[in-house]
Coordinates of all heavy atoms in Angstrom, one line a residue:
T130 N 6.4 50.2 11.0 CA 7.0 49.7 12.2 C 5.8 49.4 13.2 O 5.0 50.2 13.3 CB 8.1 50.7 12.7 OG1 8.5 50.1 13.9 CG2 7.5 52.0 13.2
E131 N 6.0 48.4 13.8 CA 5.0 48.0 14.7 C 5.1 48.6 16.1 O 4.0 48.9 16.7 CB 5.1 46.4 15.0 CG 4.8 45.6 13.7 CD 3.3 45.7 13.2 OE1 2.4 46.0 14.0 OE2 3.1 45.7 12.0
E132 N 6.2 49.0 16.6 CA 6.3 49.6 17.9 C 7.4 50.6 17.9 O 8.3 50.6 17.0 CB 6.7 48.5 18.9 CG 5.7 47.4 19.0 CD 6.3 46.3 19.9 OE1 7.4 46.3 20.4 OE2 5.5 45.2 20.3
H133 N 7.1 51.6 18.7 CA 8.2 52.6 19.0 C 8.2 52.7 20.4 O 7.3 52.7 21.2 CB 7.8 53.9 18.4 CG 7.8 53.9 16.9 ND1 6.7 53.7 16.2 CD2 8.6 54.3 15.9 CE1 6.9 53.7 14.8 NE2 8.1 54.2 14.7
T134 N 9.6 52.8 21.1 CA 9.7 53.0 22.5 C 10.7 54.3 22.7 O 11.6 54.3 21.8 CB 10.1 51.9 23.2 OG1 11.4 51.4 22.6 CG2 9.2 50.6 23.0
G135 N 10.5 55.0 23.7 CA 11.4 56.1 24.0 C 11.3 57.1 22.9 O 12.4 57.7 22.4
V136 N 10.2 57.5 22.5 CA 10.0 58.5 21.4 C 8.9 59.5 21.7 O 8.0 59.3 22.4 CB 9.7 57.7 20.1 CG1 10.8 56.9 19.6 CG2 8.4 56.8 20.3
V137 N 8.9 60.6 20.9 CA 7.8 61.5 20.9 C 7.4 61.8 19.4 O 8.3 61.6 18.6 CB 8.0 62.8 21.6 CG1 8.3 62.6 23.1 CG2 9.2 63.6 21.0
A138 N 6.2 62.2 19.1 CA 5.8 62.6 17.8 C 4.9 63.7 17.9 O 4.4 64.1 19.0 CB 5.0 61.3 17.2
Y139 N 4.6 64.4 16.9 CA 3.7 65.5 16.7 C 2.6 65.3 15.7 O 2.8 64.6 14.7 CB 4.6 66.8 16.4 CG 5.5 67.2 17.3 CD1 6.8 66.8 17.3 CD2 5.2 68.1 18.3 CE1 7.8 67.2 18.3 CE2 6.1 68.6 19.2 CZ 7.4 68.1 19.2 OH 8.3 68.5 20.1
A140 N 1.4 65.8 16.1 CA 0.3 65.8 15.2 C -0.1 67.2 15.1 O -0.4 67.9 16.0 CB -0.8 64.8 15.7
Y141 N -0.4 67.6 13.8 CA -0.9 69.1 13.5 C -2.2 68.9 12.7 O -2.3 68.2 11.8 CB 0.2 69.6 12.7 CG -0.1 71.1 12.1 CD1 0.0 72.1 12.9 CD2 -0.4 71.1 10.8 CE1 -0.2 73.4 12.4 CE2 -0.8 72.5 10.2 CZ -0.7 73.5 11.1 OH -0.9 74.7 10.6
A142 N -3.1 69.9 13.2 CA -4.3 70.0 12.4 C -4.6 71.5 12.2 O -4.2 72.3 13.2 CB -5.5 69.2 13.0
E143 N -5.5 72.0 11.3 CA -5.9 73.2 11.2 C -7.5 73.3 11.4 O -8.2 72.3 11.0 CB -5.6 73.9 9.9 CG -4.1 74.2 9.8 CD -3.7 74.9 8.5 OE1 -4.6 75.1 7.6 OE2 -2.4 75.2 8.4
F144 N -8.0 74.3 12.1 CA -9.4 74.3 12.4 C -9.9 75.7 12.0 O -9.5 76.7 12.5 CB -9.5 74.2 13.9 CG -10.9 74.0 14.4 CD1 -11.4 72.7 14.7 CD2 -11.7 75.0 14.6 CE1 -12.7 72.4 15.2 CE2 -13.1 74.8 15.0 CZ -13.5 73.4 15.3
D145 N -10.9 75.7 11.1 CA -11.5 76.9 10.5 C -12.7 77.2 11.4 O -13.8 76.6 11.1 CB -11.8 76.7 9.0 CG -12.3 78.0 8.4 OD1 -12.3 79.0 9.1 OD2 -12.6 77.9 7.3
S146 N -12.7 78.2 12.2 CA -13.9 78.6 13.1 C -14.7 79.5 12.5 O -14.1 80.5 12.0 CB -13.3 79.0 14.5 OG -14.3 79.4 15.3
P147 N -15.9 79.5 12.5 CA -16.8 80.4 11.8 C -16.9 81.7 12.6 O -17.4 82.7 12.1 CB -18.2 79.7 11.8 CG -18.1 78.8 13.0 CD -16.7 78.3 13.0
E148 N -16.5 81.7 13.8 CA -16.5 82.9 14.6 C -15.5 82.7 15.8 O -15.0 81.7 16.1 CB -17.9 83.1 15.3 CG -18.3 81.9 16.1 CD -19.8 82.0 16.7 OE1 -20.3 83.1 16.5 OE2 -20.3 81.1 17.3
S149 N -15.1 83.9 16.5 CA -14.3 83.9 17.7 C -15.3 83.3 18.8 O -16.3 83.7 19.1 CB -13.9 85.3 18.0 OG -13.3 85.2 19.3
Q150 N -14.6 82.1 19.5 CA -15.4 81.5 20.4 C -14.6 80.7 21.3 O -13.5 80.2 21.0 CB -16.4 80.5 19.9 CG -15.8 79.5 18.9 CD -16.9 78.7 18.2 OE1 -17.9 78.2 18.8 NE2 -16.6 78.5 16.9
S151 N -15.0 80.6 22.6 CA -14.3 79.7 23.5 C -14.8 78.2 23.3 O -15.9 78.0 22.9 CB -14.7 80.1 25.1 OG -14.1 81.3 25.3
A152 N -13.9 77.3 23.7 CA -14.2 75.9 23.3 C -13.4 75.0 24.3 O -12.4 75.5 24.9 CB -13.9 75.5 21.9
D153 N -13.9 73.9 24.5 CA -13.1 72.8 25.2 C -12.3 72.1 24.2 O -12.8 71.7 23.2 CB -14.1 71.8 25.9 CG -14.7 72.3 27.3 OD1 -14.3 73.5 27.6 OD2 -15.4 71.6 27.9
F154 N -11.1 71.7 24.6 CA -10.2 70.8 23.9 C -10.0 69.6 24.7 O -9.3 69.7 25.7 CB -8.9 71.6 23.4 CG -9.3 72.8 22.5 CD1 -9.6 74.0 23.1 CD2 -9.2 72.6 21.1 CE1 -9.9 75.0 22.2 CE2 -9.5 73.7 20.4 CZ -9.8 74.9 20.9
R155 N -10.7 68.5 24.3 CA -10.6 67.4 25.2 C -9.8 66.2 24.6 O -10.1 65.7 23.6 CB -12.1 66.9 25.6 CG -13.0 68.1 26.1 CD -14.3 67.5 26.5 NE -15.1 68.6 27.1 CZ -16.4 68.4 27.7 NH1 -16.9 67.2 27.7 NH2 -17.1 69.4 28.0
I156 N -8.9 65.8 25.4 CA -7.9 64.8 25.0 C -8.1 63.5 25.7 O -8.3 63.5 26.9 CB -6.5 65.3 25.2 CG1 -6.2 66.5 24.4 CG2 -5.5 64.1 24.7 CD1 -4.8 67.0 24.7
G157 N -8.1 62.3 25.0 CA -7.8 61.0 25.5 C -6.4 60.6 25.1 O -6.2 60.5 24.0
C158 N -5.6 60.2 26.1 CA -4.3 59.7 25.6 C -3.7 58.8 26.7 O -3.8 59.2 27.9 CB -3.4 60.9 25.5 SG -1.8 60.6 24.8
I159 N -3.2 57.7 26.3 CA -2.6 56.7 27.3 C -1.2 57.1 27.5 O -0.4 56.4 28.3 CB -2.8 55.3 26.7 CG1 -2.5 54.3 27.9 CG2 -1.9 55.1 25.5 CD1 -3.0 53.0 27.6
N160 N -0.6 58.0 26.8 CA 0.9 58.5 26.8 C 0.9 59.9 27.4 O 0.0 60.6 27.6 CB 1.5 58.4 25.5 CG 1.1 57.1 24.9 OD1 0.4 56.9 23.9 ND2 1.9 56.0 25.2
A161 N 2.2 60.4 27.6 CA 2.4 61.8 28.0 C 2.0 62.7 26.7 O 2.1 62.3 25.5 CB 3.9 62.0 28.3
N162 N 1.4 63.9 27.0 CA 0.9 64.7 26.0 C 0.9 66.2 26.4 O 0.9 66.5 27.5 CB -0.5 64.3 25.7 CG -1.4 64.3 26.8 OD1 -2.1 65.4 27.1 ND2 -1.6 63.3 27.6
K163 N 1.1 66.9 25.3 CA 1.0 68.3 25.3 C 0.0 68.8 24.1 O 0.0 68.2 23.1 CB 2.3 69.1 25.2 CG 3.2 68.9 26.5 CD 4.5 69.7 26.2 CE 5.4 69.5 27.5 NZ 6.7 70.3 27.3
L164 N -0.7 69.9 24.3 CA -1.5 70.6 23.4 C -1.4 72.0 23.2 O -1.4 72.7 24.3 CB -3.0 70.2 23.6 CG -4.0 70.9 22.8 CD1 -4.0 70.5 21.3 CD2 -5.4 70.7 23.3

């Protein structure tokens, strides 16, 4: 489908960290978003 309007979607990923650590999670998004 070329376009969607009035919708939300989810994206899921797993991240294998070599150690316990603080990090920045930096988003670029032209739409409403949550992380």
Side-chain angles (χ1 to χ4, degrees):
T130 179
E131 294 299 325
E132 299 174 353
H133 294 87
T134 58
V136 289
V137 296
Y139 293 91
Y141 171 81
E143 295 184 354
F144 192 100
D145 186 1
S146 179
E148 59 184 354
S149 176
Q150 58 184 317
S151 296
D153 280 2
F154 297 82
R155 303 186 181 186
I156 299 174
C158 187
I159 198 167
N160 312 100
N162 59 86
K163 291 183 177 181
L164 168 65

